[in-house]
Amino acid sequence: MINAAGRIIPDQITGVADVRPYAGPFATIPTGRMVGPKIRVNKPKSEKIVKSIEQAIEAAGLKDGMTISFHHHFRNGDYVLNLVVAAIAQKGIKGLTLAPSSLNDINEAIIPFIEQGIITAIETSGGRGKLGRLMTSGQLAKPVVIRSHGGRARAIEAGDLKIDVAFIGAPCCDSYGNMNGINGRSACGSMGYAMVDAAYAEKVVAITDNLVPHPVYPISIPQTQVDFIVVLDSIGDPQGIASGALRISRDPRELLIAEYATGVIEHSGYFKEGWSLQLGSGGASLAAAKFIKEKMLAQGIAASFGVGGITAPFVDMLEQGLIKTIFDVQDFDLPSIESLKNNPNHLEMSASYYANPHNGGPIVNNLDVVILSATEVDVDFNVNVITDSNGVIMGASGGHSDTAAGANLAIVVAPLLRGRLPMVLDKVNTIVTPGETVDVIVTERGIAVNPRRTDLIDNFKGTGLPVMSIHDLQRLAYDMAGKPETIAVSDEVVAVVEYRDGTIIDVVRKPL
């Protein structure tokens, strides 16, 4: 069948019970009710602390074929996922579905356990490196399910993703299970992605290297959702969890892209007192934050709120009164963690509050402007952030489609060429974010505005911005580097890309 994004989706896909093709960004109306975990009981004076991960696995009742989840707030400093999977393998449990909020390079250590059948299915936001290549290889029993951050929260709350045991790395945990991410040597800041897991999993295991007396405060995940606690010497490498303040790019190309993106924002009609924004952690986005700050200071404008994964430039703008409130689902650097800890206007939020399309209204719905990156874009403004030019999974969906759908102005920044490969194509290899939710594409050679946005086209006239059609931008790329060859793929579906509403916007087929 052909979905609303023009992609051919098989009528039947192994491991997918209900193949629902993408019908449009707001076409799917949810039915039914939210699910919940089994009712718990905990008698007074009960002890939640167990001696080891192995004991926690036994106490949680983990069995063959179940689903386990983890959060990715520790990024490339994460020890928890690898340690738990290794302990599960020692106990001979097999056929598990691994459902982390995302995977990082450090998690390549679990590949032998995938090859041994300990893990036979993966549902996540994406993967990179060796894990990405394994996901694309077809070695898993079922295709990988790729979900956005909002789509994952939706799937958990709707029962599409049922978590049997959630293992939650806790930088700070008290003796009854209250957790936060701002205290301790493994501090990661917001625990926004773990909050949904804790609220809906059948069993929750907190794993900490910083056990403190009850009660800890503030509380990110409450004791009412926690069944067992494991104390380890270390749950992560602080150097891999959070860096110092991320540096503004000095790359001339990224700076030019950032300058153009700032110009797009300034002349869009949304750049005014009380506007709202989300910026990414990439080089061009961080540089744009600097330029936006300068223009806000010059024009005396303050934003009502900033949102998303938080970086030092956002914190700086909050401290200077240029942003009144920050809503934080994850932190990328130490200044952001400290700000969440100390600034009452810096608020922690769950992934559901952030971007779940099937609740009373995620914060992305209130966004004026978002800047997003891309692996490649096409002439229909579709965006790929999942697969490389060779068709191999090498990225993550993240909040890309969520914020593009919610924001008044979705700006995608990308170089016109990456290496010798054009980044503006006839058709992207894999659609993650549909073109009808993307408003402007910014490269160092020119800016393309979605023809749907006649208001922006009018606003940019006479501004000096290098606006051109998407087809002219593509021709420029092809003139410089030639038209890339189409990737040869088999009929085998190795990954399913869900849109945030649970429908299938694309599939990844095994490259030949």
Side-chain angles (χ1 to χ4, degrees):
M1 68 187 89
I2 299 177
N3 66 13
R7 293 296 165 125
I8 299 173
I9 307 299
D11 294 332
Q12 294 182 329
I13 300 174
T14 302
V16 181
D18 183 15
V19 177
R20 294 180 296 150
Y22 167 77
F26 308 106
T28 300
I29 306 300
T31 58
R33 295 179 176 274
M34 295 165 68
V35 300
K38 292 178 182 177
I39 297 173
R40 293 173 167 88
V41 63
N42 186 278
K43 296 179 181 179
K45 309 298 187 294
S46 295
E47 179 62 69
K48 291 187 179 182
I49 298 173
V50 296
K51 293 182 179 180
S52 65
I53 293 174
E54 288 79 7
Q55 283 193 10
I57 292 168
E58 291 176 7
L62 186 66
K63 295 180 174 61
D64 291 0
M66 286 187 170
T67 297
I68 56 175
S69 77
F70 301 83
H71 67 75
H72 73 283
H73 292 284
F74 293 155
R75 283 172 286 279
N76 270 318
D78 179 31
Y79 294 164
V80 172
L81 189 153
N82 296 353
L83 289 170
V84 170
V85 172
I88 290 170
Q90 285 293 319
K91 300 191 75 63
I93 299 170
K94 294 186 176 183
L96 299 179
T97 295
L98 178 67
S101 52
S102 197
L103 289 164
N104 291 289
D105 290 341
I106 194 170
N107 303 129
E108 292 175 357
I110 69 170
I111 288 177
F113 304 121
I114 297 173
E115 294 171 340
Q116 294 166 27
I118 310 301
I119 294 164
T120 54
I122 297 175
E123 301 187 19
T124 187
S125 179
R128 299 168 178 83
K130 293 179 181 178
L131 272 170
R133 291 193 288 275
L134 182 144
M135 289 179 186
T136 321
S137 70
Q139 292 184 49
L140 292 160
K142 298 188 292 188
V144 176
V145 179
I146 302 292
R147 293 189 179 99
S148 70
H149 290 324
R152 180 178 187 270
R154 178 211 59 76
I156 292 171
E157 294 182 5
D160 294 347
L161 173 55
K162 179 182 177 293
I163 298 170
D164 293 296
V165 185
F167 295 92
I168 298 177
C172 183
C173 182
D174 70 28
S175 55
Y176 213 47
N178 297 299
M179 296 180 242
N180 69 49
I182 57 176
N183 297 315
R185 59 183 178 275
S186 301
C188 62
S190 174
M191 297 183 70
Y193 297 122
M195 289 177 179
V196 183
D197 299 48
Y200 287 86
E202 295 291 294
K203 295 291 183 180
V204 174
V205 178
I207 301 179
T208 188
D209 56 8
N210 182 31
L211 186 71
V212 299
H214 179 274
V216 72
Y217 185 82
I219 297 170
S220 298
I221 293 172
Q223 63 189 42
T224 54
Q225 297 172 348
V226 178
D227 299 288
F228 307 105
I229 302 165
V230 178
V231 183
L232 302 179
D233 292 335
S234 179
I235 60 172
D237 176 6
Q239 298 299 315
I241 295 172
S243 67
L246 298 178
R247 294 185 179 183
I248 303 296
S249 175
R250 295 182 179 179
D251 182 283
R253 183 171 65 174
E254 290 188 339
L255 291 173
L256 187 56
I257 292 172
E259 183 180 339
Y260 288 157
T262 303
V264 166
I265 294 170
E266 181 182 16
H267 298 291
S268 65
Y270 300 110
F271 188 66
K272 55 189 176 183
E273 182 65 25
W275 72 303
S276 56
L277 69 158
Q278 174 173 327
L279 307 176
S281 59
S285 296
L286 288 172
K290 174 180 180 293
F291 297 148
I292 290 166
K293 172 186 169 182
E294 292 170 354
K295 289 192 179 293
M296 291 174 72
L297 286 168
Q299 299 184 32
I301 292 172
S304 58
F305 70 88
V307 66
I310 304 306
T311 59
F314 249 33
V315 169
D316 183 46
M317 293 165 78
L318 177 69
E319 292 174 348
Q320 293 191 39
L322 297 175
I323 297 177
K324 296 178 181 178
T325 305
I326 285 177
F327 291 93
D328 186 349
V329 72
Q330 71 170 320
D331 294 287
F332 287 102
D333 53 29
L334 296 175
S336 302
I337 296 170
E338 286 300 309
S339 175
L340 179 62
K341 183 176 182 178
N342 299 315
N343 194 323
N345 293 330
H346 189 154
L347 308 175
E348 189 174 17
M349 66 176 173
S350 73
S352 186
Y353 186 95
Y354 172 46
N356 178 359
H358 290 171
N359 60 28
I363 195 69
V364 295
N365 286 3
N366 302 111
L367 270 175
D368 283 316
V369 177
V370 63
I371 297 180
L372 299 164
S373 59
T375 303
E376 57 191 18
V377 301
D378 67 26
V379 294
D380 294 316
F381 287 78
N382 298 309
V383 182
N384 175 21
V385 291
I386 285 290
T387 52
D388 206 343
S389 56
N390 57 6
V392 174
I393 294 171
M394 48 69 67
S397 178
H400 205 286
S401 64
D402 300 312
T403 50
N408 289 323
L409 174 63
I411 302 169
V412 171
V413 295
L416 189 61
L417 304 180
R418 188 171 277 118
R420 288 292 302 167
L421 293 174
M423 293 297 104
V424 183
L425 309 174
D426 292 331
K427 292 184 181 297
V428 291
N429 290 313
T430 309
I431 298 178
V432 171
T433 299
E436 57 199 300
T437 65
V438 174
D439 301 300
V440 181
I441 293 171
V442 178
T443 76
E444 78 281 11
R445 296 281 183 151
I447 298 166
V449 180
N450 194 318
R452 296 169 180 262
R453 296 302 305 267
T454 56
D455 58 326
L456 295 176
I457 294 170
D458 290 340
N459 288 347
F460 296 156
K461 290 177 180 176
T463 62
L465 292 171
V467 176
M468 62 180 68
S469 77
I470 189 70
H471 295 282
D472 287 340
L473 201 56
Q474 183 203 44
R475 277 192 289 270
L476 183 59
Y478 283 7
D479 287 345
M480 296 171 66
K483 184 176 180 178
E485 295 182 5
T486 302
I487 299 171
V489 296
S490 68
D491 292 331
E492 181 181 353
V493 173
V494 294
V496 171
V497 182
E498 282 191 6
Y499 191 59
R500 58 200 297 257
D501 61 7
T503 59
I504 299 176
I505 193 166
D506 211 344
V507 296
V508 179
R509 291 177 170 85
K510 182 179 179 179
L512 293 174

